[in-house]
Amino acid sequence: MAFAKILCAVDFSESSERAMAEAVRLAGEHDAELILFHTYYLPPFVLADTAGVSPALTQQLADDARAGLAEAVSRARALGARKLRSKLADGLPWLKIVKASKAEAVDLIVIGSHGRSGFARIALGSVAEMVVRHAPCPVLTVRGTAAPHPFEHVLVPVDFSPRSRDAAELALRLVRPGGAGITLLHVVEAPITWGELRPLEAYRDLDARGAAQLEAWIKQLTAGAPAPVRSQVRVGSAGAQILHALEADRSIDLVVMGSHGRTGLKRIVLGSVAEKTVRHAPCPVVIVHHPA
């Protein structure tokens, strides 16, 4: 199933430009409609000082946002965007992005990993991470300076939850046919309590079961897959091992993973794994959510 509608959040930063270029490429590849979305916002501490905010200032802010969005539309058309429109909003950026994605029933949100402030962690925490946490659809976070290109090698961290399965199936839609393919990564984490098992025996048991499940997944996914599907098993912390895998294999140019695992404790697992990956991965990351 191809994407029918893609929303790209733009704030006119370098990271935003990179995200827009990727969104244009994906929209063209899937013959999807592309919505460029921008929201302008006066923080509460500015509004609190009512003496310092005049109607002229707020009008100037709106005019600048409108002009910036028009320029972004022109650049997107120059990049080859065909089915293109734009939307302008006023309010808290992450919340407006999430609301717009629901109202428009988009299939994918594309957003830069950090904004024009240049302080990656601050901006990421306030916008991209919040969008990742609350979006009703997959979110592609984009970072780096490389030109947009078809994804050749996709890493899919799996814990055999339904969201992992969704991520693997989405990776099949995103990887370039005939490319390097998809690597399913399963991380074996030590149980919190060992009970009667010695650590080595526990690791062997978990590793064997994980490997068997991976092989079963590979057999199912490779039927009609556009590129090879392989597996890798690592031992340790999931978040750390995902980043180690990316460091060890620089050919990986996309990560696709579920927003939370089988525990169902979305915020805990999202905070410890998915958000960590979004924050530190050197390549684009897609976070897959449970369908609304």
Side-chain angles (χ1 to χ4, degrees), residues 25-218:
R25 183 190 72 79
L26 285 169
E29 186 176 289
H30 291 262
D31 192 29
E33 179 183 20
L34 175 60
I35 303 169
L36 295 187
F37 183 84
H38 176 69
T39 180
Y40 60 96
Y41 176 59
L42 278 175
F45 68 85
V46 175
L47 294 174
D49 183 11
T50 54
V53 180
S54 67
L57 177 60
T58 55
Q59 184 60 52
Q60 183 63 53
L61 184 64
D63 291 344
D64 289 347
R66 192 173 294 106
L69 186 55
E71 291 177 7
V73 168
S74 296
R75 290 194 296 275
R77 292 196 188 283
L79 289 170
R82 299 187 300 274
K83 300 177 182 179
L84 177 67
R85 60 188 172 93
S86 63
K87 292 192 71 172
L88 183 67
D90 172 14
L92 191 62
W94 75 263
L95 184 59
K96 291 296 183 178
I97 293 167
V98 170
K99 285 186 174 181
S101 68
K102 292 177 179 179
E104 293 282 353
V106 303
D107 303 301
L108 178 71
I109 297 171
V110 182
I111 187 170
S113 61
H114 59 279
R116 57 182 158 190
S117 69
F119 297 101
R121 179 64 192 93
I122 296 174
L124 183 61
S126 64
V127 182
E129 279 185 10
M130 293 297 285
V131 171
V132 164
R133 197 178 303 165
H134 296 284
C137 62
V139 180
L140 169 60
T141 60
V142 179
R143 72 190 318 147
T145 58
H149 62 276
F151 299 119
E152 298 280 344
H153 187 183
V154 182
L155 180 72
V156 183
V158 298
D159 63 0
F160 309 116
S161 67
R163 296 293 70 72
S164 288
R165 184 65 185 219
D166 292 342
E169 292 176 352
L170 179 58
L172 292 173
R173 292 159 51 191
L174 291 171
V175 70
R176 184 183 72 81
I182 296 169
T183 297
L184 303 180
L185 172 65
H186 178 59
V187 179
V188 178
E189 297 192 75
I192 296 174
T193 58
W194 293 103
E196 299 299 319
L197 290 173
R198 293 196 301 273
L200 182 58
E201 292 174 341
Y203 272 126
R204 284 175 176 169
D205 180 58
L206 290 169
D207 187 32
R209 282 188 286 172
Q213 286 181 285
L214 279 173
E215 286 304 312
W217 274 39
I218 288 174

